[in-house]
Amino acid sequence: METRGPVCIIDPSELYRPEVKAKKAKGLFREYSIDKTDHIQTRVRDTYLKMHTYQTVDYVKQKIAYWTRFDKFEADIMPALEKLNDLVDESDPDVDVPNIVHAFQTAERIRADYPDLDWFHLTGLIHDLGKVLAFYGEPQYSTVGDTFVVGCRVGSSVVYRDSTFHDNPDVSDPRYSTENGIYEPGCGLDKVLMSWGHDEYLYRVLKHNKCTLPDEGLAMIRFHSFYPWHTGGDYMHLCNDKDLKMLPWIRTFNKYDLYTKSDHLPDIPALMPYYQSLIDKYCPGKLQW
């Protein structure tokens, strides 16, 4: 059942982006601590504790089976994007930039640097659309936060790796606790199970609805929260040549995603026609979600 009205959420992967009234040095945007006196850090760690406890192979398979029925609602891209404005960032609700503003900021910065790659502009606009999961009962630990591969040993750079997986049954399951786990080396990331969240969901929505973004755009959407891979260097042994070809594109995208909340607010009504034309080109009509 859909939740109507504001939904509170705190996205650990985005917590240290620059905000309208509180810019930070780039090195602090993804700072994680275990300071129990810091209310926000405590909430972030609690989100990861739940994620790293409940996100197992069986859990992910259940989520895939449930959400890939694509029977929750139908909507065009732009109304779905506008709905994200009902997500309230609990980390700092007084200064948080609305989701649609961040979407246009990301897209416009990409457009300025890559004017001829219209698919890249659209990717920047829609990359967080999978967060509509939050309106349909998904908990935060199954919607936002850094993603990781389930079904094999946890990567060494996964945030809070050493203090949050102790109650995850897969960690002590011999099928899933080796470096390769249930996978073959070099099998490719298309063959692995990612922890469930907004990245994986939107990727599957776009594939199901036969959207025509190129592989580079789909990879950016699917893996932009996969920090243990594109930033930490983990899980490289599972990659194939295509993954390694996509990796520089994902790293390029994340520079725009992570550092685009700023004082400059785009003129969204003036930009709407251009981005609607891209939606019509790559993801037209009502999509099944």
Side-chain angles (χ1 to χ4, degrees):
M1 180 179 296
E2 180 183 2
T3 299
R4 299 189 180 276
V7 172
C8 291
I9 199 166
I10 180 171
D11 188 343
S13 289
E14 299 181 354
L15 184 58
Y16 288 91
R17 285 174 171 169
E19 304 293 350
V20 170
K21 298 180 183 176
K23 294 181 180 178
K24 303 179 189 289
K26 286 188 178 182
L28 298 180
F29 288 158
R30 289 183 49 77
E31 175 185 277
Y32 293 104
S33 72
I34 312 180
D35 181 358
K36 295 182 179 179
T37 66
D38 186 324
H39 172 68
I40 297 303
Q41 287 292 349
T42 299
R43 289 185 59 81
V44 167
R45 187 177 183 279
D46 183 62
T47 296
Y48 279 116
L49 177 61
K50 291 176 180 176
M51 177 193 297
H52 296 163
T53 298
Y54 299 121
Q55 291 255 12
T56 64
V57 169
D58 288 344
Y59 181 90
V60 170
K61 287 181 177 179
Q62 290 170 14
K63 291 300 179 182
I64 292 172
Y66 177 74
W67 285 102
T68 58
R69 299 201 303 258
F70 304 109
D71 59 357
K72 308 305 178 288
F73 65 102
E74 293 187 359
D76 294 12
I77 290 286
M78 199 62 77
L81 190 66
E82 291 169 346
K83 184 163 182 58
L84 289 187
N85 282 333
D86 284 335
L87 287 178
V88 177
D89 183 356
E90 290 183 292
S91 66
D92 201 347
D94 292 330
V95 300
D96 186 48
V97 173
N99 276 273
I100 197 169
V101 173
H102 170 60
F104 277 95
Q105 286 175 328
T106 303
E108 281 295 282
R109 281 201 60 197
I110 292 170
R111 183 182 179 189
D113 290 348
Y114 296 88
D116 298 326
L117 299 182
D118 63 354
W119 60 266
F120 198 0
H121 313 163
L122 182 60
T123 299
L125 185 73
I126 69 172
H127 70 280
D128 275 342
L129 259 180
K131 291 180 181 178
V132 296
L133 286 168
F135 296 104
Y136 293 86
E138 279 301 307
Q140 290 195 101
Y141 64 80
S142 197
T143 302
V144 294
D146 296 5
T147 57
F148 60 97
V149 178
V150 298
C152 66
R153 182 182 300 149
V154 179
S156 60
S157 68
V158 172
V159 65
Y160 296 127
R161 177 191 187 275
D162 295 331
S163 61
T164 54
F165 281 93
H166 49 276
D167 288 330
N168 185 310
D170 285 4
V171 173
S172 57
D173 189 319
R175 294 174 297 173
Y176 308 137
S177 56
T178 63
E179 182 180 34
N180 294 318
I182 58 176
Y183 310 114
E184 294 293 329
C187 63
L189 296 181
D190 277 343
K191 300 287 180 62
V192 308
L193 291 171
M194 297 299 302
S195 58
W196 185 253
H198 72 279
D199 307 49
E200 186 71 15
Y201 176 55
L202 181 60
Y203 166 77
R204 289 174 180 266
V205 167
L206 297 177
K207 292 287 286 185
H208 171 74
N209 287 280
K210 296 180 171 54
C211 295
T212 57
L213 285 173
D215 288 343
E216 292 84 353
L218 292 172
M220 292 171 188
I221 286 167
R222 190 180 193 190
F223 298 122
H224 69 270
S225 299
F226 192 14
Y227 282 90
W229 175 53
H230 62 65
T231 300
D234 292 326
Y235 304 107
M236 289 295 180
H237 61 290
L238 300 177
C239 295
N240 59 19
D241 290 342
K242 179 181 178 181
D243 300 323
L244 299 179
K245 182 180 178 182
M246 296 297 107
L247 183 55
W249 283 103
I250 296 164
R251 287 173 171 164
T252 296
F253 169 78
N254 268 66
K255 292 187 296 184
Y256 296 97
D257 182 29
L258 197 57
Y259 304 126
T260 50
K261 286 188 176 179
S262 66
D263 288 320
H264 177 68
L265 301 180
D267 185 349
I268 292 176
L271 295 171
M272 282 281 195
Y274 172 70
Y275 284 98
Q276 186 60 55
S277 73
L278 300 188
I279 292 168
D280 294 340
K281 178 177 179 179
Y282 292 104
C283 307
K286 289 189 181 298
L287 307 188
Q288 295 176 329
W289 299 77

